[in-house]
């Protein structure tokens, strides 16, 4: 029965030198013993089921055994070919399952054209679903593709590109495939994934497969800008650094991140700096190259309007990146092995004009100095060399003036600048003396003056009360009986005391005289009073009763 259906077995028996053949070698049959058993059942007329999972293997085995219609009508090869065309490749899911089963049938599955047929069907139907989804969620087809090997997935992506699918649809498929295939390496976009393999074992099979997978995925990324979330790109870069991929792979990811660096958050920028067990990587060169590439791009497109690179007018995106870099420095400042040169190298990548305020950079420097307490004065000055003390806010300067970790020259700069600001503020206040400022905008000197005036008013009020009580006592003593001599002497002493008391009160009132040193100022009087002599004010006697 086998010879009647299989030309391959017929030839083995006919070419055998033994007259009585009881054993033949079929170890090379695609699909192994299980598939041969089904082929033998077909030869003996035993029923079995052809499915999308085994149709590719059955077809390859039928071709290997030469079970075609050429040697027997309605043979196994024809039956599997019909099933492929009419059932398996009629749906996207079926075609993907058949393509997946071809992975263990290489190279014969590719030689027989099964792989090419499946890739074409999957590419066409996936494009159809991307443009006109018929199921929910609309990107369900991207999940289906995740079961494929990266080589077959690459073939499908290329097929979709040739059919003109939107780059955003390709990006969605690549992101989903990456997150499924590198589940333990790209668990999430926060850099908190677990360690999947031992980083010390660079030559392990598993690590090698992961490295090849990352490199293949990076090679598939469309060139269009803004298709991939920046945290996805940073996660890929973290994988590339961790797996020690090729320099081309890492440079491609760094280039893509630098293009959209203004949208990168501190958490995104931290991703390449951590391993999967929470330990920080020693290599910060990737971050430096990303920032440097972005600054160079901003320089080339002409965002600096001045001749000097550090003094020109910077774009909003560069200012945003400067804040991100300062916050990034604050995050890595506690790293014990971070050297002063590496810290300054990252801080100085951003031009000084991009920082409107150096408060964030001062915070990073302060954290660095706190984490490295054994630095001497010269080393601390080197750390602070990237900061401009004159660009600190008032609160930051106040903190810096009391910060014992800072070198002396930085503290002096902060104090000197505060003195200059205070003097310029007083001068400006004198120039605008005619302007009535609201209570909320009063300076510290004005508030101090108001407090002093209130105290003087309170003292004057107290003295007036004492004077009233004294006059009242004098009137009572005047009406009382007593010796004339004693009365005379008491009146004399009273007059002296009264004269002295009134003199002191007059001096107090003189200090509060609103016309003092200004009696001749007549600029505010109307001109129609020309007949009145106002150059010399009338003498008035102020009395208090």
């Amino acid at each position: 029965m086998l010879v009647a259906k299989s030309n391959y077995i017929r030839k083995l028996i006919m070419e055998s030198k033994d007259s009585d053949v009881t054993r033949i070698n079929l170890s090379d049959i695609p699909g192994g013993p299980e598939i041969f058993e089904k082929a033998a059942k077909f030869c003996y007329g035993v029923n079995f089921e052809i499915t999308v999972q085994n149709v590719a293997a059955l077809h390859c085995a039928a071709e290997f055994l030469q079970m075609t219609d050429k040697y027997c009508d309605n043979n196994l090869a024809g039956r599997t070919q019909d099933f492929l065309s009419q059932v398996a490749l009629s749906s996207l899911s079926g075609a993907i399952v058949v393509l997946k089963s071809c992975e263990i049938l290489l190279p014969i599955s590719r030689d027989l054209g099964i792989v090419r047929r499946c890739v074409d069907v999957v590419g066409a139907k996936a494009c159809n679903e991307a443009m006109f989804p018929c199921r929910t969620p609309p990107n369900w087809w991207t999940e289906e593709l995740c079961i494929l090997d990266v080589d077959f997935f690459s073939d499908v992506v290329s097929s979709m590109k040739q059919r003109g699918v939107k780059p955003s649809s390709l990006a969605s498929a690549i992101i989903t495939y990456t997150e499924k295939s590198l589940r333990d390496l790209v668990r999430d976009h926060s850099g908190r994934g677990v360690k999947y393999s031992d980083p010390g074992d660079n030559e392990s099979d598993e690590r090698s497969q992961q490295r090849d997978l990352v490199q293949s995925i990076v090679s598939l990324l469309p060139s269009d800008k803004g298709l991939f979330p920046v945290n996805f790109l940073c996660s890929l870069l973290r994988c590339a650094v961790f797996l020690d991929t090729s320099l081309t792979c890492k440079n491609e990811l760094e280039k893509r991140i630098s293009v959209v660096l203004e949208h990168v958050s501190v958490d995104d920028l931290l991703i390449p700096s951590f391993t999967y067990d929470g330990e920080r990587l020693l290599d910060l060169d990737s971050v430096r190259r990303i920032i440097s590439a972005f600054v160079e791009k901003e320089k080339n497109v002409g965002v600096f309007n001045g001749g000097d690179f550090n003094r020109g007018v910077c774009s909003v995106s560069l200012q945003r990146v400067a804040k991100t870099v300062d916050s990034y420095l604050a995050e890595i400042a506690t790293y014990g092995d971070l050297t002063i040169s590496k810290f300054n190298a990252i801080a100085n990548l951003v031009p000084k004009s991009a920082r409107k305020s150096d408060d964030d950079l001062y915070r990073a420097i302060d954290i660095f100095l706190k984490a490295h307490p054994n630095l001497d004065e010269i080393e601390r000055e080197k750390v602070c060399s990237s900061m401009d003390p004159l660009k600190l806010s008032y609160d930051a300067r106040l903190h810096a003036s009391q910060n014992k970790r800072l070198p002396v020259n930085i503290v002096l700069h902060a104090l000197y600048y505060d003195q200059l600001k205070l003097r310029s503020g007083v001068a400006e206040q004198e120039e605008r003396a005619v302007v009535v400022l609201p209570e909320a905008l009063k300076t510290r000197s004005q508030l101090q003056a108001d407090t002093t005036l209130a105290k003087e008013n309170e003292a004057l009020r107290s003295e007036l009360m004492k004077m009233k009580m004294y006059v009242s006592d004098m009137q009572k003593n005047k009406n009382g009986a007593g010796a004339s001599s004693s009365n005379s002497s008491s009146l004399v002493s009273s007059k002296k005391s009264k004269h002295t008391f009134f003199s002191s009160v007059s001096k107090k009132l003189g200090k509060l005289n609103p016309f003092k040193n200004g009696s001749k100022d007549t600029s505010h009087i109307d001109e129609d009073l020309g007949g009145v002599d106002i150059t010399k004010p009338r003498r008035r006697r102020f009395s208090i009763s």
Side-chain angles (χ1 to χ4, degrees), residues 170-172 174-175 221-222 224 226-230 232-233 256 260:
L170 288 177
S172 176
I174 292 173
I175 291 173
L221 301 180
D224 304 62
L227 290 177
F228 297 94
V230 68
F232 170 77
L233 295 174
R256 289 175 178 272
V260 292

Side-chain angles (χ1 to χ4, degrees), residues 177-187 213-214 217:
Y177 183 83
T178 303
E179 292 176 345
K180 293 287 185 179
S181 303
L182 297 171
R183 183 171 302 173
D184 291 319
L185 291 179
V186 192
R187 168 169 290 186
L213 178 58
V214 171
I217 289 172

Side-chain angles (χ1 to χ4, degrees), residues 26-196:
L26 296 175
S27 59
D28 294 335
I29 186 171
E34 182 183 353
I35 295 300
F36 175 74
E37 181 183 1
K38 287 182 169 52
K41 285 182 178 180
F42 177 80
C43 293
Y44 284 94
V46 179
N47 290 330
F48 66 92
E49 185 180 7
I50 300 177
T51 64
V52 292
Q53 285 82 12
N54 63 22
V55 64
L58 282 172
H59 185 72
C60 291
E63 292 290 343
F64 178 83
L65 295 172
Q66 298 178 10
M67 297 176 66
T68 63
D69 291 346
K70 179 180 178 181
Y71 305 103
C72 180
D73 291 337
N74 201 21
N75 213 339
L76 181 59
R79 296 281 294 274
T80 54
Q81 190 73 262
D82 293 341
F83 187 88
L84 279 172
S85 303
Q86 298 173 13
V87 180
L89 301 183
S90 62
S91 66
L92 176 60
S93 300
I96 291 175
V97 172
V98 175
L99 185 58
K100 174 65 178 177
S101 67
C102 289
E103 293 175 4
I104 60 173
L105 300 172
L106 294 174
I108 188 172
S109 59
R110 194 179 290 277
D111 295 339
L112 293 176
I114 302 176
V115 172
R116 184 71 265 163
R117 287 180 63 187
C118 290
V119 167
D120 290 340
V121 170
V122 172
K125 291 187 178 296
C127 288
N128 236 11
E129 286 294 330
M131 293 184 289
F132 311 104
C134 63
R135 283 169 56 180
T136 55
N139 63 340
W140 67 271
W141 57 274
T142 63
E143 299 277 348
E144 299 283 330
L145 294 176
C146 292
I147 67 172
L148 296 176
D149 178 79
V150 67
D151 293 330
F152 286 165
F153 178 77
S154 300
D155 293 339
V156 172
V157 170
S158 300
S159 176
M160 294 178 69
K161 283 183 181 178
Q162 293 175 0
R163 286 173 168 79
V165 71
K166 293 180 179 179
S168 57
S169 299
L170 288 177
S172 176
I174 292 173
I175 291 173
T176 305
Y177 183 83
T178 303
E179 292 176 345
K180 293 287 185 179
S181 303
L182 297 171
R183 183 171 302 173
D184 291 319
L185 291 179
V186 192
R187 168 169 290 186
D188 54 33
H189 294 153
S190 64
R192 299 183 179 90
V194 297
K195 183 167 61 175
Y196 188 54

